[in-house]
Amino acid sequence: MKKAVLLLLLIVRTSLVVANTSDRLLSDLDRAIEQRADYELYKEQQIEQLKSLLQHCLSPEAQYKLLGQLFEHYLPYNADSAMFYTQKRLMLAQSLSAHHVSESNMNMAAVKNNTGMYDEALNILNNINYHQLSIQLRIYRYNLYRAIYGSLQDYAITQQEKQNYLSLTNRYRYSTLANAEPGSKDYIYALSDKKIADGQCNEAIELLSNYFETIEADNRDRAIVAYTLAQAWRCMGNEQQTLHYLTISATCDIKESVKEYSSLW
């Protein structure tokens, strides 16, 4: 992923657009960049608190939950640590249930996907017994497949490969829509993604804008939704709104110490 300098280059290139962009948003971004070290320190403090709880936790189920929280903290922050705690979670899951094992394996697939190990991620997912999964884990699995095939489509060389991965991406997007509760986060993400892919960007903007207003300021989802809104506005050819939401997404990512900046692509 590109680093913060790319957003600065984008700002310079679109100086006329920036003139119309909220000064408050740009000030927030500048301040977040200046305070990056403070946000990372806070992230590390949160992680250390979880590790301390883990050391004094006796219940296997509680340990499993804490390891899941460590996985979630580390996934966008430190891939090596995400892998380490996912492996520990998977080992513990063996003593719990098939549900725990499947969930931990999907966590591992998520780590592999984030590090570009797509074949290994797919191999993990393909070996999970679909029929044993709860609805929520099925949706998690569909979302992982969709993310992996979407990435493979981006990197595909031939048109035939791109079309094949696009078909698979669409397949798992439809599976999410068929299983997720209407109005849920998973449903909104999948539906807005579909509308953008279908060129129905106005509808995607309306859907995401309504959802965006319900997300708390310190929630990681805010960065994701802002980035998707930027994609929708870019589809509409509106540079001002595109930059508006890229700025929000980048600021949220920095505050959450996210190391993979989609908004800075």
Side-chain angles (χ1 to χ4, degrees):
M1 290 293 181
K2 305 296 191 280
K3 300 300 180 184
V5 66
L6 293 187
L7 183 59
L8 298 178
L9 290 174
L10 175 62
I11 290 173
V12 171
R13 190 183 68 186
T14 57
S15 56
L16 293 177
V17 175
V18 173
N20 295 318
T21 301
S22 168
D23 289 339
R24 180 184 60 80
L25 289 178
L26 294 175
S27 295
D28 285 347
L29 178 58
D30 287 340
R31 190 160 48 250
I33 292 171
E34 291 172 1
Q35 297 175 352
R36 182 195 302 267
D38 293 334
Y39 293 125
E40 291 194 7
L41 177 60
Y42 179 65
K43 167 72 78 173
E44 289 293 344
Q45 289 172 342
Q46 289 180 305
I47 289 171
E48 288 304 316
Q49 287 177 357
L50 290 173
K51 290 179 180 178
S52 178
L53 289 172
L54 185 62
Q55 289 179 345
H56 299 91
C57 184
L58 299 178
S59 163
E61 189 68 47
Q63 289 179 24
Y64 181 83
K65 183 177 180 180
L66 287 168
L67 288 168
Q69 292 174 345
L70 284 165
F71 155 76
E72 291 171 358
H73 272 284
Y74 274 128
L75 184 63
Y77 178 61
N78 185 313
D80 289 340
S81 294
M83 178 78 72
F84 176 79
Y85 284 100
T86 302
Q87 289 172 335
K88 289 178 71 71
R89 196 180 201 214
L90 183 55
M91 290 177 61
L92 179 60
Q94 308 290 333
S95 65
L96 295 174
S97 71
H99 171 92
H100 293 84
V101 172
S102 295
E103 182 179 41
S104 298
N105 272 317
M106 282 189 269
N107 293 161
M108 184 63 72
V111 177
K112 299 287 187 180
N113 175 50
N114 272 25
T115 54
M117 303 171 71
Y118 304 121
D119 286 343
E120 292 187 28
L122 289 172
N123 186 56
I124 292 170
L125 293 178
N126 292 340
N127 282 286
I128 293 173
N129 189 334
Y130 168 83
H131 299 288
Q132 292 182 351
L133 300 180
S134 64
I135 289 294
Q136 195 55 47
L137 284 187
R138 289 184 185 188
I139 293 170
Y140 185 22
R141 179 174 173 268
Y142 296 144
N143 288 339
L144 285 169
Y145 271 124
R146 180 164 59 93
I148 294 165
Y149 286 124
S151 295
L152 287 170
Q153 180 192 352
D154 290 339
Y155 293 117
I157 297 174
T158 69
Q159 192 58 41
Q160 182 178 356
E161 288 176 328
K162 286 182 178 294
Q163 190 57 45
N164 179 50
Y165 291 134
L166 173 61
S167 177
L168 289 166
T169 301
N170 289 338
R171 170 186 170 183
Y172 288 105
R173 183 187 298 129
Y174 293 139
S175 295
T176 297
L177 289 171
N179 287 271
E181 186 72 24
S184 67
K185 179 177 75 173
D186 290 314
Y187 188 89
I188 290 170
Y189 282 4
L191 183 58
S192 59
D193 191 34
K194 178 181 182 301
K195 288 186 178 298
I196 292 171
D198 292 344
Q200 299 172 335
C201 299
N202 263 332
E203 295 181 25
I205 289 167
E206 181 179 1
L207 177 67
L208 290 168
S209 295
N210 291 335
Y211 181 60
F212 184 76
E213 296 304 319
T214 70
I215 306 173
E216 296 181 2
D218 60 349
N219 191 318
R220 165 69 178 137
D221 290 342
R222 194 169 178 84
I224 297 169
V225 175
Y227 176 68
T228 311
L229 272 165
Q231 289 181 305
W233 280 112
R234 180 178 289 155
C235 162
M236 296 292 294
N238 189 318
E239 287 191 341
Q240 180 177 340
Q241 287 292 76
T242 299
L243 186 58
H244 174 91
Y245 283 105
L246 284 177
T247 304
I248 292 174
S249 181
T251 303
C252 291
D253 275 346
I254 292 170
K255 288 181 176 180
E256 290 296 311
S257 295
V258 171
K259 301 297 187 181
E260 296 293 329
Y261 303 109
S262 295
S263 52
L264 304 182
W265 244 145

